[in-house]
Amino acid sequence: MELENAVIIALAAGMALFLVLWILALKSSTKARALCTEAGVERDDALARAKRAEDELRGLGNRTYIADFRPNHTYSLIAHQTTELEGQPRFFGLVRQDGGGPTPFLTRQDLGELNDGDNFTCVRDGFAKLDESTTTSAQPAAPGDATQMFAAPLMNDGEHTMMFSAAPASAPSQDPNEGLPYFKVTAGNDVGKTFPVRFERCTVGREIHNAVALHDAGASRTHCVVEYRGTGFWLSDNNSTNGTLLNGRPIQGEVLHLGDTLKLSDTEMVFTCEGHEIKAGDPDGAISAYEKTLRKAPDYVEALKTMAFLLERNLARRKEAQPLWDRIAKLEKMG
C-alpha cells in the first residue's frame, strides 16, 4: 500500500512538473511570436517608407529639377535631405537658382558642410559658401575707377590674358620685399623676426653672410639651403651637424610648401607669405597679395593654384581663374 502511494505521488509530481514546464514553454513561444510579429511590422513599415521615398525621388524624373550644380550660377539652399537611391547616396531638396523661384534638385554632388539657408556656388573642388556682400558685389568695376587694370605677361599665352588689379599709379610700392615669401621665426633666440626669401638661392645658418642669419649656436654656419627652381621652392640640408627637420621629419632634400615648419637646432620657423597668412579671413586681400607675389615669380605654381581657388570663389572675378588653371596645367606638363 505504501509503495502504491509512493508511486502515485511520484507520478503526480512528474505530471505537475511537466505541466509547469509546458506552460512556461507556451508563454515563451507566445512572447517570441509577438516579438517576431512586432519586428516584422517595423521592418515592413521601414521598407514601405523607403519605397515611398524612392518613388518620390523617381517622381522627380517627370518634373524639371537640377541634377548638377554648375559654375557661374548662385544658389540659395532652402531645404535638403540625404538618402540612398539604387545603393548610392543622393542629396535632394529645394534651391533658388540665380534668385529665381524654388526648384527641386536631386544630385550625386556632396553638399558637404552646406546648411539650409546658405548661399553657395559651384567651384572646382566642390562648393563655396557666399555671404551677402559677395553676392551683391559681383559687378565689374566701373570705367574710370582709380584702380588701373593691366595684363600680366605670365597670363598672355595666346589664348587668354589675365587681368590683375594694380595699385594706383600715383602710389607705387617702395618696398623691395613686397610679395616675397618669408620665414617667420616662432621659437628660438630670433623669435618674432621675419626673413624674406627671394626667388633665387637662399642660405640659412648662424653666420652673418646667410640670407637667413640666425642667433643659434646649435645651427651650422650654413645649415641648409632654400632654392627656387622655376616653379617652386626646394629645401636641402647642407650636411649640418644637428640636421634639418621639415614638419618634424629629418630631410636631405624636399619640396618646401607655404605653411611648412622648419626646425634647425633651437630655432623653429614657418615658411609663409602674406597671401597665405590672410586667405582664410580676407580672401580679397589675399588675392591682392598673391598678385604681388606672382609679379615677382610668374610661374610659382603654389601661388597660382591658391589664387585660382580664391578667384573661383569671387563672383566679380571668377572668370579670371580659368587662365590661371590653363597656365598651371602647362607648367605641370612641362615638369
Side-chain angles (χ1 to χ4, degrees):
M1 187 66 177
E2 290 181 359
L3 179 60
E4 291 178 356
N5 289 337
V7 171
I8 293 172
I9 292 172
L11 289 174
M15 291 181 64
L17 179 60
F18 173 78
L19 182 61
V20 169
L21 292 175
W22 181 80
I23 292 173
L24 290 175
L26 182 61
K27 286 183 178 181
S28 297
S29 176
T30 302
K31 185 176 181 180
R33 285 197 299 271
L35 290 173
C36 290
T37 301
E38 183 179 348
V41 170
E42 291 180 354
R43 181 201 61 196
D44 292 342
D45 286 346
L47 290 174
R49 288 195 301 271
K51 183 65 169 59
R52 285 197 299 272
E54 185 169 338
D55 290 342
E56 289 174 3
L57 290 173
R58 292 184 184 279
L60 287 173
N62 300 320
R63 299 182 301 181
T64 300
Y65 71 98
I66 296 173
D68 294 294
F69 296 104
R70 301 183 181 278
N72 301 321
H73 292 286
T74 59
Y75 302 93
S76 180
L77 187 58
I78 299 173
H80 76 292
Q81 292 290 335
T82 60
T83 188
E84 282 194 2
L85 183 61
E86 298 176 346
Q88 298 295 323
R90 295 290 189 275
F91 295 80
F92 68 97
L94 291 173
V95 294
R96 296 182 188 275
Q97 177 177 303
D98 298 326
T103 303
F105 69 87
L106 171 62
T107 181
R108 291 182 174 86
Q109 292 170 291
D110 190 343
L111 299 186
E113 300 300 321
L114 293 176
N115 299 311
D116 293 348
D118 284 345
N119 297 315
F120 67 96
T121 188
C122 184
V123 296
R124 179 177 296 262
D125 60 338
F127 297 104
K129 292 184 182 181
L130 304 173
D131 56 29
E132 292 184 3
S133 61
T134 304
T135 57
T136 58
S137 63
Q139 299 297 326
D145 188 277
T147 301
Q148 296 179 333
M149 301 298 290
F150 71 96
L154 71 154
M155 294 300 107
N156 193 351
D157 57 5
E159 300 176 6
H160 303 91
T161 298
M162 178 69 183
M163 302 302 291
F164 282 165
S165 61
S170 59
S173 172
Q174 300 298 322
D175 183 1
N177 296 326
E178 184 178 61
L180 290 177
Y182 56 90
F183 281 114
K184 178 173 62 176
V185 183
T186 57
N189 294 329
D190 296 294
V191 66
K193 289 184 179 180
T194 59
F195 297 92
V197 178
R198 300 192 177 280
F199 291 94
E200 54 191 39
R201 189 174 185 272
C202 169
T203 58
V204 182
R206 73 170 188 266
E207 288 204 338
I208 195 169
H209 67 78
N210 291 294
V212 180
L214 302 171
H215 296 87
D216 189 334
S220 297
R221 289 186 175 90
T222 300
H223 195 104
C224 61
V225 178
V226 177
E227 184 180 5
Y228 183 67
R229 296 186 173 181
T231 58
F233 286 93
W234 182 264
L235 171 68
S236 56
D237 183 73
N238 193 44
N239 296 317
S240 63
T241 302
N242 294 317
T244 301
L245 300 182
L246 182 65
N247 299 322
R249 298 179 295 102
I251 60 101
Q252 291 301 314
E254 197 163 315
V255 174
L256 181 64
H257 295 288
L258 294 170
D260 281 350
T261 298
L262 177 64
K263 192 175 192 313
L264 332 159
S265 185
D266 295 328
T267 300
E268 190 168 302
M269 306 183 291
V270 176
F271 182 64
T272 187
C273 69
E274 182 186 0
H276 183 80
E277 291 290 295
I278 67 175
K279 65 182 181 180
D282 182 10
D284 290 340
I287 290 174
S288 178
Y290 275 114
E291 287 175 341
K292 297 171 186 175
T293 299
L294 290 168
R295 290 190 189 103
K296 292 185 179 294
D299 295 342
Y300 186 15
V301 168
E302 187 168 4
L304 285 169
K305 285 183 176 181
T306 306
M307 184 168 172
F309 280 120
L310 292 171
L311 286 170
E312 282 187 328
R313 289 159 171 76
N314 185 310
L315 292 184
R317 302 185 61 184
R318 68 185 311 172
K319 291 182 180 179
E320 299 175 42
Q322 190 55 51
L324 288 176
W325 290 119
D326 294 341
R327 178 67 176 174
I328 292 164
K330 290 184 177 182
L331 290 170
E332 292 182 334
K333 186 176 181 181
M334 291 167 58

